[in-house]
Amino acid sequence: MNKTPANDTQPSQKRVKQMCDLMVERATTMMANEAGAPVEMIVDRLLTFAIAQMASTYGRQEALNMLRFASDQVKAGKFDHLIHSGRPN
């Protein structure tokens, strides 16, 4: 029997993030393909869920700070590589 340290049985933060990303991708694919939801509705549902979680977990002010940070990231061009040609910036 292999003996491993106790902390080796816990998934790494990187692995947990990868799994969460995969689950979100699967959920959004289901929303589109199985429920027939348009992209706008999928984004609305994801943002509504995320903002509700932020507000209930961290409070109004911290939720606002987190949303401002996200807005600043978009404004700084962090996601420009994902914008399809023909879309306004």
Side-chain angles (χ1 to χ4, degrees):
M1 182 158 98
N2 290 337
K3 292 194 175 204
T4 58
N7 61 358
D8 284 351
T9 62
Q10 297 298 319
S12 70
Q13 287 292 78
K14 181 179 179 181
R15 180 75 177 137
V16 171
K17 185 176 179 180
Q18 290 171 334
M19 291 300 297
C20 288
D21 289 346
L22 177 62
M23 289 178 200
V24 169
E25 182 180 352
R26 287 179 180 171
T28 57
T29 299
M30 288 175 64
M31 289 177 203
N33 295 343
E34 295 179 28
V39 172
E40 295 82 3
M41 183 181 291
I42 294 169
V43 171
D44 172 76
R45 301 320 313 144
L46 291 171
L47 284 174
T48 299
F49 179 83
I51 294 168
Q53 292 302 309
M54 289 187 311
S56 66
T57 301
Y58 301 107
R60 180 188 307 154
Q61 191 57 52
E62 189 59 26
L64 285 168
N65 291 341
M66 294 166 90
L67 290 166
R68 286 186 190 104
F69 176 80
S71 175
D72 290 344
Q73 296 295 302
V74 173
K75 190 184 293 186
K78 183 170 183 170
F79 302 98
D80 283 358
H81 65 284
L82 300 172
I83 298 172
H84 300 288
S85 60
R87 295 274 184 167
N89 285 333

